């Protein structure tokens, strides 16, 4: 399967529909799924979009977590509780439900980030602030000492 990559800037119309760029529509078409699942990110103010088959793998893992552990229950409530099955229409648009748009503070301009097997959907303003935070000197020093040691760029 194709991996989702890159950054895409798109608009949300007055009805809450987001148009997927042609490249992302092509990548999604390879999954042979009937739709997608969108849920909230439990760490950041963005949405996560999965092809249905990829989401089902995630949900199977979530279903196996012990529900008597508060952290596991919290994760299940946030991810599964907000998971919404959506269709991509013939024009390549997805109608994002109001509660999900409100959570991610999505307005007219949004940023879609490819993240391998999923897409992240950010308000453009939120993403730009988050990116600046990631690029701050302290964050770069942390990244260089912890994660980047195993990756050759």
């Amino acid at each position: 399967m194709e991996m989702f990559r890159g950054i895409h800037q798109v608009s949300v119309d007055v009805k809450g529909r987001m148009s997927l760029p042609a490249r992302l529509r092509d990548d999604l078409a390879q999954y042979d799924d009937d739709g997608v699942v969108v849920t909230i990110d439990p760490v950041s103010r963005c949405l996560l979009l999965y092809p249905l088959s990829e989401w089902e793998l995630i949900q199977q893992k979530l279903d196996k977590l012990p529900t008597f552990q508060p952290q596991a229950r919290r994760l299940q409530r946030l991810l599964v509780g907000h998971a919404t099955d959506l269709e991509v229409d013939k024009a390549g648009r997805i109608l994002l439900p109001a509660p999900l748009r409100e959570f991610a503070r999505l307005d007219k301009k949004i940023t879609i980030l490819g993240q391998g097997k999923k897409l992240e959907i950010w308000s453009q303003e939120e993403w730009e602030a988050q990116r600046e935070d990631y690029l701050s000197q302290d964050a770069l020093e942390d990244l260089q000492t912890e994660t980047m040691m195993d990756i050759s760029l």
Side-chain angles (χ1 to χ4, degrees), residues 17-31:
R17 294 178 299 196
M18 167 187 78
S19 291
L20 287 173
R23 164 104 193 250
L24 296 179
R25 286 195 306 260
D26 293 344
D27 292 345
L28 270 174
Q30 294 184 34
Y31 278 93

Side-chain angles (χ1 to χ4, degrees), residues 62-108:
L62 289 167
D63 289 345
K64 290 179 183 176
L65 294 175
T67 58
F68 57 87
Q69 288 184 347
Q71 299 90 342
R73 192 72 187 131
R74 177 177 174 247
L75 194 58
Q76 290 167 329
R77 285 179 175 147
L78 290 172
L79 287 172
V80 179
H82 288 89
T84 306
D85 292 274
L86 300 172
E87 297 289 326
V88 180
D89 70 15
K90 293 179 190 220
R93 297 174 302 193
I94 297 172
L95 176 61
L96 297 169
L100 295 179
R101 290 194 319 267
E102 290 166 12
F103 168 82
R105 300 177 180 134
L106 301 180
D107 198 15
K108 294 178 183 178

Side-chain angles (χ1 to χ4, degrees), residues 99-137:
L100 295 179
R101 290 194 319 267
E102 290 166 12
F103 168 82
R105 300 177 180 134
L106 301 180
D107 198 15
K108 294 178 183 178
K109 296 187 181 268
I110 63 174
T111 298
I112 303 173
L113 291 175
Q115 294 293 295
K117 295 182 179 186
K118 68 179 179 285
L119 296 168
E120 291 182 351
I121 304 168
W122 291 80
S123 82
Q124 185 174 337
E125 188 175 298
E126 289 279 333
W127 169 247
E128 289 172 358
Q130 184 66 64
R131 182 181 57 201
E132 290 308 310
D133 186 51
Y134 288 154
L135 292 172
S136 73
Q137 188 61 38

Side-chain angles (χ1 to χ4, degrees), residues 49-62:
L49 183 148
Y50 293 89
L52 182 59
S53 56
E54 292 294 338
W55 171 254
E56 288 172 345
L57 297 173
I58 300 291
Q59 185 156 351
Q60 287 172 8
K61 292 177 185 177
L62 289 167

